[in-house]
Amino acid sequence: MSERPSAFVLTPDAWATFLASLYERDDRLDVRRPGETYAPDEAVDAWALSAHAEALRSAEVDGDLWGTLDDIEETAATEDEAWSTIAAFYLARGCVLVEVQGLDEPEDWIFSEGLARRLGLGGP
């Protein structure tokens, strides 16, 4: 995918660091703060993060690409075309794309603007 102002490109190590920086408590996803204590069950992995994403394309988590395409009432002939259509739909609505590059398979996540900002992926 091409670079966009609403896209963040991460390396696999930066993605792992990003996931490790998050916690989930009472169905709220947020960033860990220095000096705070977090329970082990508040750790966030890709599965936990997927519950908060608008859409995703991941080797680790089944993002139901075709179901998402149906939800936005669009069609596509290939998985790449489906993802491009989904990404364009959400980005046009102010969402933020996170691309993890350097992996064998695509790892792309789309978050609402508010969530992205809270997680440090957007403006103030």
Side-chain angles (χ1 to χ4, degrees):
M1 301 202 131
S2 62
E3 294 281 335
R4 297 179 210 44
S6 55
F8 288 82
V9 178
L10 302 176
T11 64
D13 287 343
W15 175 245
T17 299
F18 172 69
L19 288 175
S21 75
L22 304 176
Y23 73 97
E24 183 182 46
R25 182 180 296 157
D26 300 326
D27 295 326
R28 180 176 166 85
L29 190 66
D30 217 327
V31 177
R32 293 173 182 262
R33 307 241 186 293
E36 300 264 338
T37 303
Y38 301 92
D41 67 345
E42 293 179 328
V44 173
D45 60 9
W47 285 99
L49 184 62
S50 71
H52 301 274
E54 295 295 325
L56 61 102
R57 178 172 68 161
S58 171
E60 206 172 331
V61 178
D62 179 12
D64 190 18
L65 194 66
W66 298 107
T68 302
L69 195 65
D70 286 342
D71 289 347
I72 63 172
E73 300 178 352
E74 293 286 349
T75 60
T78 66
E79 285 189 13
D80 285 341
E81 183 183 332
W83 179 253
S84 291
T85 300
I86 290 166
F89 176 88
Y90 283 106
L91 292 174
R93 286 155 180 80
C95 291
V96 175
L97 171 66
V98 175
E99 299 175 326
V100 183
Q101 294 184 348
L103 299 171
D104 293 335
E105 295 183 47
E107 193 71 36
D108 301 320
W109 295 69
I110 298 175
F111 301 104
S112 69
E113 182 181 20
L115 177 61
R117 188 177 303 114
R118 189 169 69 240
L119 301 182
L121 298 170

